């Protein structure tokens, strides 16, 4: 196999793609418009303890893989030290062939620590010492990772009741040229049937400074909070949709369902669907009025392993993909908002790879001027954000929705080392475009192709989210 070292031709499978990447994509700054980084960690900007913390503190991708190899939970989310967790992860690393974690970690070792050799149990100790020394020498902090990766903009994800105190502090004290905003994510209000709904309405009431005794008052309270987010520099919303089936509803019925949920009574399937339909319609109108982009993350199966999730926690690697949300239901939502001239810019993120093409067609059906790519097929995310998933989306969706209009990649991550995912995306993009050129399927000028690459990797997102206005 030759010398076992990281190679810069990673995923660049043709000469044209390699040249395109090196000439037009590799040095572009990053706009990371969707992630789950903790604002407090960005603000405090503390030096990391070691690579164990950087890799394993929040990364459910790695946790899931480690469980697959039978590693005890103590070394995953348990009370073992980060050093011990790192050593356990190093043991399985060579066996992660074909898994995106392998490539992500290789890129992270190379980009942040200049390490080109692959991690294994034999060199784990030396790599640990080398990285720990570099953390101290370079004073590696969250913002250090952002600056090294040329990050311009980061959008975290917060609940409407959040005070955004750390965003406020960062606005006042500065973030070394990196713009930090928050996405408005009202999931706790959307899932009326889940435990704790009534308690959450009390929290929302306190945050909005108004009573929340009805569905209408809840939406008014959410809009007050949306305006607060907007005043703090936000322009992006995010709705997580486990499953959704459109159902016609009346105002009276929606209020009745809200009262049942507040009383802790069980909602049947029809009531749940009516409530969710009403909620998404009102949310879409609200986003449109306030100039927010509406992100719909569709098709998650939260906590498939319920017994382990209840003992270990949510977002710990027990989630899955589902296909219960139908195209017609999302289409009905978009259609009704369009009929009212109230459809905001919208990004559709189907988690189920089998639905990529159908959602691409749906998105294209709701595009209209003057906005380019008004309704978008979102970046491949979560279980799809690897080379195969990215490539699959290019090859499948490009036939149905212009790739050139895409707002590009995101990290969707809780790790400050995850920015090489943008690099991975750009490498796959350029390799894909290079193949089209070499097969004679694209023969417009180099200037046009360079513009497509820059747009997809950076400029489309800048324009779509209005970042160039700030």
């Amino acid at each position: 196999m030759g010398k076992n070292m990281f190679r810069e031709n990673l995923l660049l499978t043709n000469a044209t793609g390699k040249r395109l990447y090196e000439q037009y994509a590799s040095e572009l700054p990053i706009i990371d418009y969707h992630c789950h980084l903790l604002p407090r960690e960005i603000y405090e900007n503390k030096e990391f303890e070691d690579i164990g913390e950087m890799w394993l503190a929040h990364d459910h991708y790695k946790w899931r893989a480690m469980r697959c190899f039978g590693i005890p939970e103590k070394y995953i989310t348990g009370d073992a030290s980060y050093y011990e967790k790192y050593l356990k992860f190093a043991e399985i690393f060579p066996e992660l062939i074909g898994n995106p974690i392998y490539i992500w970690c290789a890129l992270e070792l190379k980009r942040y620590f200049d390490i080109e050799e692959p991690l294994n149990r034999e060199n784990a100790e030396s790599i640990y010492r080398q990285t720990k020394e570099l953390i101290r020498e370079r004073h590696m902090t969250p913002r250090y990772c952002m600056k090294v990766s040329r990050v311009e903009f980061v959008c975290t994800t917060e609940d409407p009741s959040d005070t955004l105190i750390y965003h406020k502090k960062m606005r006042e004290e500065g973030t070394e040229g990196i713009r930090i905003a928050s996405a408005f994510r009202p999931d706790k209000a959307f899932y009326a049937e889940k435990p704790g709904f009534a308690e959450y309405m009390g929290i929302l009431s306190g945050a909005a400074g108004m009573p929340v005794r009805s569905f209408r008052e809840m939406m008014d309270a959410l809009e007050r909070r949306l305006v607060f987010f907007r005043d703090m520099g936000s322009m992006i919303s995010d709705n997580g949709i486990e499953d959704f089936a459109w159902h016609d509803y009346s105002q009276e019925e929606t209020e009745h369902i809200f009262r049942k949920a507040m009383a802790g009574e069980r909602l049947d399937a029809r009531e749940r669907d009516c409530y969710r339909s009403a909620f998404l319609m009102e949310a879409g109108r609200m986003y449109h009025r306030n100039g927010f982009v509406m992100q719909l993350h569709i098709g998650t199966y939260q906590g498939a392993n319920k017994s382990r999730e209840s003992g270990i926690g949510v977002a710990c690697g027990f989630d899955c993909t589902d296909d219960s949300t139908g195209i017609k239901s999302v289409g009905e939502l978009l259609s009704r908002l369009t009929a009212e001239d109230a459809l905001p810019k919208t990004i559709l993120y189907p988690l189920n790879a089998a639905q990529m093409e159908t959602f691409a067609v749906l998105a294209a059906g709701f595009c209209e001027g003057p906005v380019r790519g008004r309704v978008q097929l979102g970046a491949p995310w979560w279980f799809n954000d690897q080379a195969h998933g990215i490539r699959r989306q290019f090859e499948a969706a490009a036939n149905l929705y212009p790739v050139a209009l895409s707002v590009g990649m995101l990290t969707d991550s809780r790790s400050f080392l995850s920015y090489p995912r943008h690099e991975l995306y750009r490498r796959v993009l350029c390799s894909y475009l290079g193949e089209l050129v070499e097969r004679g399927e694209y023969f417009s000028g180099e200037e046009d192709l360079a513009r497509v690459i820059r747009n997809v990797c950076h400029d489309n997102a800048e324009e779509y989210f209005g970042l160039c206005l700030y």
Side-chain angles (χ1 to χ4, degrees), residues 6 51 54-55 86 89-90 93 101-120 123-124 126-128 130-132 134 138 140 417 420:
F6 176 87
I51 193 171
M54 297 176 86
W55 266 354
Y86 160 80
F89 177 69
F93 186 78
I101 295 173
Y102 187 91
I103 296 300
W104 292 342
C105 289
L107 281 168
E108 290 161 11
L109 285 173
K110 172 63 177 174
R111 298 298 174 235
Y112 298 107
F113 300 101
D114 304 313
I115 294 173
E116 298 183 344
E117 61 181 305
L119 177 67
N120 55 51
N123 66 11
S126 64
I127 286 181
Y128 180 84
Q130 185 177 348
T131 54
K132 193 171 181 69
L134 285 171
R138 298 176 179 178
M140 290 190 178
L417 289 185

Side-chain angles (χ1 to χ4, degrees), residues 144-404:
Y144 170 90
C145 296
M146 292 178 180
K147 288 189 291 183
V148 166
S149 299
R150 299 180 299 280
V151 176
E152 286 184 337
F153 173 75
V154 169
C155 189
T156 62
T157 306
E158 273 70 53
D159 182 86
S161 66
D162 197 287
T163 64
L164 302 186
I165 182 61
Y166 294 106
H167 289 84
K168 184 174 186 294
K169 288 175 180 289
M170 287 187 280
R171 281 166 63 94
E172 292 171 349
E173 299 175 22
T175 48
E176 302 173 78
I178 305 163
R179 186 174 172 208
I180 315 290
S182 175
F184 181 90
R185 183 152 179 159
D187 287 10
K188 291 181 180 178
F190 177 66
Y191 293 109
E193 77 283 2
K194 292 191 175 183
F197 178 75
E199 290 78 6
Y200 177 70
M201 287 300 108
I203 294 171
L204 177 62
S205 173
M210 61 171 286
V212 178
R213 300 159 300 193
S214 66
F215 180 83
R216 182 67 269 159
E217 287 181 345
M218 177 189 72
M219 295 309 304
D220 289 344
L222 287 173
E223 186 152 18
R224 281 197 185 186
R225 298 305 297 164
L226 188 78
V227 170
F228 170 72
F229 273 60
R230 185 189 66 195
D231 292 345
M232 288 292 293
S234 177
M235 74 299 291
I236 303 172
S237 67
D238 183 22
N239 289 77
I241 302 175
E242 293 179 18
D243 59 272
F244 164 57
W246 177 270
H247 203 294
D248 289 338
Y249 59 89
S250 67
Q251 181 178 340
E252 294 74 19
E253 188 171 22
T254 304
E255 293 292 359
H256 172 71
I257 296 167
F258 180 87
R259 288 193 295 272
K260 283 188 67 175
M262 288 289 283
E265 298 178 29
R266 182 181 176 276
L267 303 184
D268 61 31
R270 180 181 178 280
E271 290 172 326
R272 185 196 65 186
D273 291 337
C274 285
Y275 178 89
R276 292 184 182 183
S277 299
F279 187 97
L280 289 174
M281 274 296 295
E282 289 296 328
R285 292 166 177 151
M286 178 175 70
Y287 299 148
H288 181 265
R289 282 194 298 271
N290 291 279
F292 271 61
V293 173
M294 178 168 71
Q295 294 184 108
L296 300 179
H297 283 89
I298 302 162
T300 54
Y301 177 12
Q302 298 280 7
N305 189 339
K306 293 179 175 57
S307 64
R308 291 296 174 266
E309 183 184 71
S310 64
I312 296 171
V314 298
C316 289
F318 301 112
D319 303 320
C320 192
T321 300
D322 188 40
D323 62 356
S324 59
T325 298
I327 302 296
K328 283 187 177 180
S329 292
V330 179
E332 188 68 26
L333 171 67
L334 301 183
S335 178
R336 295 197 179 208
L337 289 170
T338 299
E340 297 181 10
D341 195 24
L343 180 66
K345 293 177 183 177
T346 301
I347 307 178
L348 305 176
Y349 299 91
L351 187 56
N352 189 329
Q355 294 181 312
M356 290 293 182
E357 293 184 50
T358 46
F359 270 101
V361 175
L362 183 69
F366 287 92
C367 286
E368 57 186 17
V371 179
R372 283 166 53 93
R374 180 175 182 175
V375 179
Q376 292 260 333
L377 177 68
W381 64 294
W382 203 340
F383 302 112
N384 303 304
D385 57 1
Q386 19 68 17
H388 171 68
I390 296 168
R391 175 87 186 196
R392 177 179 57 209
Q393 184 160 326
F394 287 148
E395 293 178 339
N399 295 310
L400 310 164
Y401 190 100
V403 167

Side-chain angles (χ1 to χ4, degrees), residues 74-93:
K74 171 184 178 180
Y75 300 103
I76 302 173
T77 61
D79 59 3
S81 68
Y82 284 127
Y83 170 69
E84 294 173 305
K85 292 176 180 180
Y86 160 80
L87 291 179
K88 288 293 185 183
F89 177 69
E91 290 179 7
I92 70 168
F93 186 78

